[in-house]
Amino acid sequence: MAQIREIKKIEREKASIHSHITGLGLDEKGKAKFIADGLVGQVEAREASGIVVQLIRQGKMAGKGILFVGPPGTGKTALAVAIAKELGEDTPFTTINASEVYSTELKKTEILTQVIRKSMGVRIKQKRTVYEGVVKDVKLKVARSRYNPYYVSPREAQIVLSTKDDERTLNVGDAIAEQFMKLNVKKGDVIWIDTETGEVTKVGRAKGFEGAKSYDIEVVRQVDIPTGSIKKEKDITITVTLHDLDLNLAAQSISITALFSFFTEREINQDIRKQVDRLVKDMVNRGDAELVPGVLFIDDAHMLDIEAFSFLTKTLESELAPILILATNRGITKIRGTDIESPHGIPLDLLDRLLIIQTRPYNESEIREIVKIRANEIDVKLDEDAIVLLTKLGVENSLRYAVQLIEPAYIVAQRKGRESIKSEDIEEVSKLFSDSKRSVKYVKEYENLLLK
């Protein structure tokens, strides 16, 4: 029996602030569970987000957008992430901070156009002729490279594919042979080869294929042995974004000398985008493709200026527009670039087009559960007295402050030879790291010594 020795993991992977969120945590009737899918509380906001997800799936969000409004640390970004999780893996989701719009290299409208088109997907359906089967044998013929005599590359290959009902031997050229080498195609792999493009797709390892080497622990996906003929018609569906199509068409249109400057400037001609739009509409009308409404999430939306807001307002009216989700923690404030005050720093003409979802500060029981979830996510043990103290700090100061103290407290506990955090560890790090209230008090106390 093979000996397997476990190696202790020294470093722990850093969990992102929203890595624990897997969805909105709603039941079949769209009602929010108190704790589910990594979210706690915010019942009204989550149920409203669930309705938004349903509207997006039904294609009924054209010309509308979403605005999350609430104090800092009330889960606005978490809800946007949860909406994206609910929509599925192939739904494009682009997230930026409003400050990213201001670049020294690109115009504001170009940056916004690119993120908008990154957030709009096209699901392309194709019926292709492919060779599909289990690799029974593969032989590569290699030769020295034409460009580098010290490098050996495959020139051709012979492969035997089989199914439960058929078997064929295929000779392929260098392009496909190189893919065999890159994908490490070997006996027992289930693959298919597109006869038109020559693209090779490795599906997984065939279950119980005779003669194929197997292991007790496999990281490769196990699949059934295909049936039917080796050569067959196969329905293939791929999802790309409008921005992907823009780049592809632009790369075909520009000359070799302009290639490097194109990707340096990253500017795309509007004529190319119009051509892509016509192409997509034609495919949709023929039934060869369907649009996938993605999500563009812009955090700190109050940082956008009047020109950016005007551009987004026009975008909402476009046929090829994603779902726009904005988030802000501002009340009545000036619209950037003007002296006009408006709710949340957003012009009223855009505000009227947005479904506004409010988030509220978490109460004591909600803060307690969130602290426990975050501790579990970063694999840290909290004693009951530590949970109580962190909950108290979250209520008196802020949830973010309480959550931020967990990892520093874990370091203090480790220095004392413990793997679990006690209240004394929390008290120690809270003295070392100030919250915003103590910071303001400190500034007032040393106002005469601090620079202005």
Side-chain angles (χ1 to χ4, degrees):
M1 184 176 178
Q3 182 181 4
I4 300 177
R5 182 167 57 90
E6 292 187 7
I7 300 175
K8 187 177 179 182
K9 189 175 181 181
I10 304 299
E11 296 181 359
R12 294 183 299 119
E13 185 179 350
K14 175 68 176 176
S16 68
I17 193 67
H18 298 118
S19 58
H20 61 285
I21 296 171
T22 58
L24 287 168
L26 306 177
D27 61 20
E28 311 81 49
K29 296 181 179 179
K31 297 297 181 182
K33 302 173 186 177
F34 179 67
I35 304 174
D37 292 345
L39 294 178
V40 178
Q42 299 294 352
V43 171
E44 294 177 356
R46 286 160 62 194
E47 291 179 0
S49 299
I51 293 174
V52 168
V53 169
Q54 198 67 28
L55 289 172
I56 294 172
R57 286 174 176 165
Q58 295 176 2
K60 297 179 179 178
M61 279 293 292
K64 303 186 187 74
I66 312 298
L67 175 63
F68 285 114
V69 177
T74 53
K76 298 183 292 297
T77 304
L79 288 170
V81 172
I83 288 175
K85 296 284 187 181
E86 291 283 350
L87 288 173
E89 290 185 3
D90 70 337
T91 301
F93 179 77
T94 308
T95 175
I96 65 166
N97 190 284
S99 59
E100 296 177 45
V101 171
Y102 306 102
S103 167
T104 58
E105 298 178 0
L106 296 172
K107 297 179 293 186
K108 288 177 287 188
T109 53
E110 176 65 20
I111 294 176
L112 287 171
T113 300
Q114 287 191 14
V115 295
I116 286 167
R117 294 179 74 82
K118 284 178 183 177
S119 308
M120 197 66 194
V122 183
R123 191 178 288 127
I124 302 173
K125 306 169 189 174
Q126 297 177 324
K127 189 176 286 290
R128 309 293 280 270
T129 302
V130 302
Y131 290 99
E132 182 181 36
V134 185
V135 177
K136 205 169 183 180
D137 188 30
V138 59
K139 295 177 181 177
L140 294 174
K141 294 182 179 179
V142 299
R144 294 186 183 276
S145 171
R146 299 182 182 93
Y147 309 106
N148 185 349
Y150 300 104
Y151 177 74
V152 175
S153 62
R155 287 291 175 86
E156 60 181 61
Q158 185 180 84
I159 187 167
V160 180
L161 293 179
S162 68
T163 66
K164 290 181 179 179
D165 310 302
D166 192 12
E167 182 175 312
R168 287 198 189 189
T169 301
L170 305 173
N171 291 312
V172 299
D174 57 349
I176 297 177
E178 284 182 10
Q179 293 183 69
F180 287 165
M181 179 177 282
K182 189 179 294 183
L183 295 172
N184 191 25
V185 172
K186 55 184 179 293
K187 189 174 182 178
D189 288 339
V190 177
I191 67 168
W192 54 265
I193 307 169
D194 191 325
T195 59
E196 185 178 335
T197 64
E199 183 180 357
V200 179
T201 301
K202 188 174 177 179
V203 182
R205 295 285 290 173
K207 295 178 182 176
F209 185 71
E210 186 180 354
K213 192 174 182 180
S214 61
Y215 302 92
D216 294 331
I217 300 175
E218 283 273 13
V219 295
V220 182
R221 179 186 174 195
Q222 299 287 309
V223 296
D224 294 325
I225 298 174
T227 58
S229 175
I230 296 290
K231 190 174 183 180
K232 63 186 72 172
E233 293 285 325
K234 191 177 184 69
D235 291 323
I236 300 173
T237 302
I238 58 171
T239 302
V240 296
T241 68
L242 292 180
H243 185 65
D244 293 334
L245 296 175
D246 292 341
L247 291 176
N248 185 272
L249 186 59
Q252 296 175 20
S253 302
I254 59 178
S255 63
I256 297 298
T257 54
L259 187 62
F260 297 102
S261 62
F262 168 76
F263 283 105
T264 301
E265 296 173 5
R266 295 172 294 178
E267 294 277 357
I268 299 175
N269 191 291
Q270 288 301 318
D271 291 336
I272 289 175
R273 290 189 172 121
K274 289 178 182 178
Q275 193 174 340
V276 168
D277 291 347
R278 286 195 298 269
L279 176 66
V280 169
K281 287 177 183 178
D282 288 343
M283 288 193 297
V284 171
N285 291 335
R286 292 196 308 266
D288 296 334
E290 62 178 312
L291 291 175
V292 182
V295 174
L296 171 58
F297 175 64
I298 303 179
D299 203 2
D300 292 332
H302 52 270
M303 292 295 293
L304 296 174
D305 61 17
I306 189 68
E307 294 173 357
F309 283 127
S310 177
F311 186 82
L312 290 175
T313 303
K314 181 183 177 182
T315 298
L316 288 176
E317 299 173 353
S318 171
E319 288 181 312
L320 302 177
I323 307 305
L324 178 65
I325 300 181
L326 306 177
T328 180
N329 53 26
R330 299 299 170 92
I332 305 295
T333 186
K334 287 183 179 179
I335 302 171
R336 185 170 178 171
T338 73
D339 291 325
I340 303 170
E341 288 192 342
S342 179
H344 320 303
I346 299 174
L348 292 178
D349 57 340
L350 176 57
L351 205 58
D352 286 340
R353 297 170 184 265
L354 302 176
L355 296 174
I356 301 176
I357 299 176
Q358 300 170 339
T359 59
R360 294 177 172 82
Y362 292 103
N363 59 37
E364 185 174 344
S365 61
E366 292 169 344
I367 290 175
R368 178 185 177 89
E369 294 302 327
I370 292 171
V371 165
K372 289 164 66 176
I373 289 172
R374 286 305 302 168
N376 182 66
E377 177 67 15
I378 59 178
D379 196 22
V380 171
K381 294 180 181 179
L382 292 173
D383 286 358
E384 183 60 31
D385 58 347
I387 295 174
V388 171
L389 182 54
L390 284 171
T391 303
K392 181 182 177 183
L393 291 172
V395 172
E396 294 177 351
N397 300 293
S398 72
L399 172 62
R400 285 179 178 169
Y401 177 68
V403 169
Q404 286 170 352
L405 290 181
I406 296 176
E407 290 185 283
Y410 182 64
I411 292 175
V412 171
Q414 285 181 315
R415 287 175 177 175
K416 296 178 181 178
R418 286 186 276 103
E419 287 298 317
S420 62
I421 299 174
K422 296 181 178 293
S423 60
E424 61 189 67
D425 305 322
I426 303 296
E427 289 174 354
E428 185 173 337
V429 294
S430 66
K431 292 176 182 177
L432 297 174
F433 301 100
S434 296
D435 59 89
S436 57
K437 292 180 181 177
R438 277 189 288 162
S439 182
V440 171
K441 184 179 178 182
Y442 170 83
V443 169
K444 289 181 178 178
E445 184 178 352
Y446 295 99
E447 185 176 4
N448 295 331
L449 298 177
L450 294 170
L451 298 177
K452 294 184 179 179

